[in-house]
Amino acid sequence: MFAKMLITVVAGGTAFLLTNVLNQKPDQAWQLILSVLIGGSTLIVQYLLDFAQRFEEAERRSADLLAATELFSHVDGSVLRSDDVTQLVRGYTKVREQSGGMVQVFAEKELARLSALMKDLESGSADCPGENHDWLLSLTECVKMTLDATSTSVDRDFWHSGPALRYLAAQEKAVKQRGVEIRRLFVVNEPHEVTDTLRELCEHHRKRGIDARIAVRSLMASNPMINDFIVFDGEICYETAPDLQSNPDSTRLRAKPEHVADRINQFNELWAATGPERLATPRAFPAHLSPAGCHLFLTLVDDHLVSGAPARIQLRLQPGPQHPWAQPGADRPELTAFATPLTPAEIKPVNVSLRPFPSGDGGAAEVLFIPDQAGTHRIRVAVQDRHTGTVLQQVETTVRVTTPGELPSSAAPFALRAEGE
């Protein structure tokens, strides 16, 4: 107010002096009137400018208030909890008022990160460098119905870390408290990668209520490329992408329906092609075999053999009860088995790793047998010492292959029988 009056007096005085200089007549009444008029006009103009400025500010505040009201009305009408949004705004405001420097910069950066994530989720896609364990845990805590996951060699080391323990604990809670169905596929490229360590990891997940299996790509007809991904409730997909050294390089969230549907179909196809992992249940050692020897057993996993169709054959080494490898705590070596078809057929892979195991299917491996034609086929399997190449055992077996649609004959059993030791 004082500033306005001062400007008014200065404007009026200046006008009086100018008129006095320009007009030397003794009558100064009109000069005073003109000075008062100019000073009054100056005062009115100042008030008008001030009013216009305040009006603009009021309009701006009204627009901000209207936008805030509209925003909070959307929040109240959405599935978001409005009290959380209110606390976020109030908390950020208090940080700005009470803190400064590093604390304020950090708060602004976190708020910007959250804002960017909301914007990305709006478009159905979000990306983050490295592994984002916070996203993984939050999604697991939010899942209500299903969780389908693949695990390749890219994240194999993850299962021995602290975040993995928290992740597994969150999954166990989801299974036991919310009834979530969790399926996980541990994916390897070749049968020899199915080690005892991987089987133990699979069993560890089962104990937490997770349906875990092992998928071998080379034993699948399509041998598909498989990435690490997790589908939550069939609505959002969490994915990790590897770098050149096959280490986790980035994390991606994908919520677009077509992308999620592709992942669901891919997982269901893999799951259907992979049987449940067999547990290490005790097997009786055949009485007609030497209890001091170690014997190779071949088992047809599928129902029967059909020409042109792949069938799984299990290779298993079982030491007799008197063999050193059967004793508790024995150091059981990793051996190599070479499977060779002696008739028109193909076996994939041509060699697998075996480890002798006194009971169950521990250390076993599988090959894929693909006969070209119906009839009697012969297969030879040789077991070698991995380091010296010495052939420790060689067997041959005869199998009967039918044509598509032909029922297996009772006179032609489909169990594999070794003819030599």
Side-chain angles (χ1 to χ4, degrees):
M1 183 65 181
F2 176 76
K4 291 182 176 64
M5 294 300 298
L6 180 62
I7 294 173
T8 301
V9 171
V10 171
T14 302
F16 179 79
L17 292 175
L18 288 174
T19 55
N20 192 35
V21 171
L22 296 175
N23 188 4
Q24 302 296 327
K25 294 181 178 181
D27 186 9
Q28 298 180 345
W30 71 273
Q31 297 174 352
L32 291 173
I33 295 173
L34 184 60
S35 300
V36 171
L37 181 61
I38 293 176
S41 300
T42 303
L43 181 62
I44 292 173
V45 169
Q46 290 182 80
Y47 273 107
L48 288 175
L49 292 175
D50 186 56
F51 175 77
Q53 182 179 1
R54 292 188 179 186
F55 185 75
E56 290 180 358
E57 184 178 353
E59 280 190 329
R60 185 166 53 252
R61 289 183 177 180
S62 298
D64 293 341
L65 180 60
L66 181 61
T69 303
E70 183 180 1
L71 174 61
F72 274 92
S73 66
H74 287 317
V75 172
D76 288 334
S78 70
V79 295
L80 291 175
R81 295 183 296 181
S82 59
D83 55 338
D84 289 342
V85 179
T86 303
Q87 290 179 14
L88 174 64
V89 176
R90 288 177 177 173
Y92 175 67
T93 303
K94 289 182 179 180
V95 167
R96 293 196 63 181
E97 293 175 351
Q98 300 175 3
S99 304
M102 188 64 187
V103 176
Q104 181 176 339
V105 172
F106 175 71
E108 292 176 350
K109 187 173 183 61
E110 286 299 296
L111 189 61
R113 180 184 60 81
L114 179 60
S115 175
L117 176 60
M118 294 300 104
K119 185 177 180 180
D120 290 340
L121 290 178
E122 180 184 359
S123 66
S125 177
D127 296 82
C128 174
E131 286 187 283
N132 195 315
H133 299 143
D134 291 336
W135 285 356
L136 183 61
L137 288 175
S138 295
L139 288 168
T140 306
E141 292 169 354
C142 296
V143 67
K144 296 179 180 179
M145 296 180 293
T146 60
L147 189 159
D148 294 332
T150 62
S151 176
T152 67
S153 58
V154 174
D155 70 350
R156 197 74 79 229
D157 293 338
F158 165 75
W159 298 111
H160 306 286
S161 66
L165 296 178
R166 295 191 292 272
Y167 176 43
L168 283 174
Q171 290 177 91
E172 185 175 12
K173 183 178 179 180
V175 171
K176 296 181 178 179
Q177 296 186 10
R178 303 196 299 274
V180 177
E181 179 187 356
I182 301 181
R183 299 183 297 175
R184 173 163 289 110
L185 279 174
F186 291 98
V187 183
V188 297
N189 294 322
E190 300 293 341
H192 70 268
E193 299 178 44
V194 184
T195 62
D196 292 341
T197 301
L198 182 57
R199 291 177 184 273
E200 291 173 0
L201 178 61
C202 203
E203 182 63 21
H204 180 63
H205 283 237
R206 292 195 193 98
K207 290 180 180 178
R208 292 179 177 264
I210 301 170
D211 191 356
R213 298 181 181 181
I214 299 176
V216 183
R217 286 182 51 208
S218 63
L219 297 182
M220 299 179 181
S222 59
N223 194 10
M225 292 295 297
I226 304 173
N227 298 323
D228 286 275
F229 65 86
I230 309 171
V231 181
F232 295 88
D233 280 343
E235 296 181 5
I236 187 168
C237 189
Y238 173 99
E239 305 177 359
T240 54
D243 58 16
L244 296 178
Q245 286 74 38
S246 296
N247 297 316
D249 181 63
S250 63
T251 303
R252 300 174 295 191
L253 294 180
R254 297 291 183 266
K256 293 183 178 180
E258 58 273 13
H259 182 87
V260 176
D262 288 342
R263 288 303 193 190
I264 293 174
N265 292 335
Q266 182 184 10
F267 184 88
N268 288 336
E269 290 176 1
L270 294 171
W271 189 262
T274 307
E277 184 70 10
R278 291 176 296 277
L279 301 178
T281 53
R283 291 178 181 267
F285 191 80
H288 66 282
L289 297 178
S290 170
C294 184
H295 304 274
L296 176 65
F297 295 89
L298 285 73
T299 305
L300 181 63
V301 178
D302 298 315
D303 292 338
H304 62 277
L305 296 169
V306 179
S307 59
R312 291 174 296 161
I313 298 177
Q314 184 198 66
L315 310 180
R316 179 174 57 88
L317 275 174
Q318 183 176 0
Q322 298 180 13
H323 194 280
W325 290 342
Q327 308 310 310
D331 183 16
R332 303 182 183 98
E334 189 171 10
L335 307 174
T336 302
F338 293 85
T340 306
L342 303 180
T343 48
E346 181 182 6
I347 293 181
K348 299 192 307 184
V350 295
N351 64 83
V352 292
S353 294
L354 294 180
R355 194 183 296 272
F357 209 78
S359 63
D361 296 327
E366 290 183 359
V367 296
L368 208 59
F369 178 68
I370 310 172
D372 293 342
Q373 59 191 29
T376 301
H377 286 259
R378 295 180 64 82
I379 301 172
R380 174 184 298 155
V381 180
V383 179
Q384 295 183 3
D385 184 290
R386 169 167 291 189
H387 301 291
T388 65
T390 303
V391 177
L392 305 178
Q393 188 172 151
Q394 179 172 292
V395 302
E396 290 186 10
T397 187
T398 302
V399 294
R400 169 71 177 165
V401 177
T402 63
T403 57
E406 178 184 352
L407 295 177
S409 170
S410 58
F414 289 89
L416 301 184
R417 297 173 297 177
E419 297 182 347
E421 303 214 32

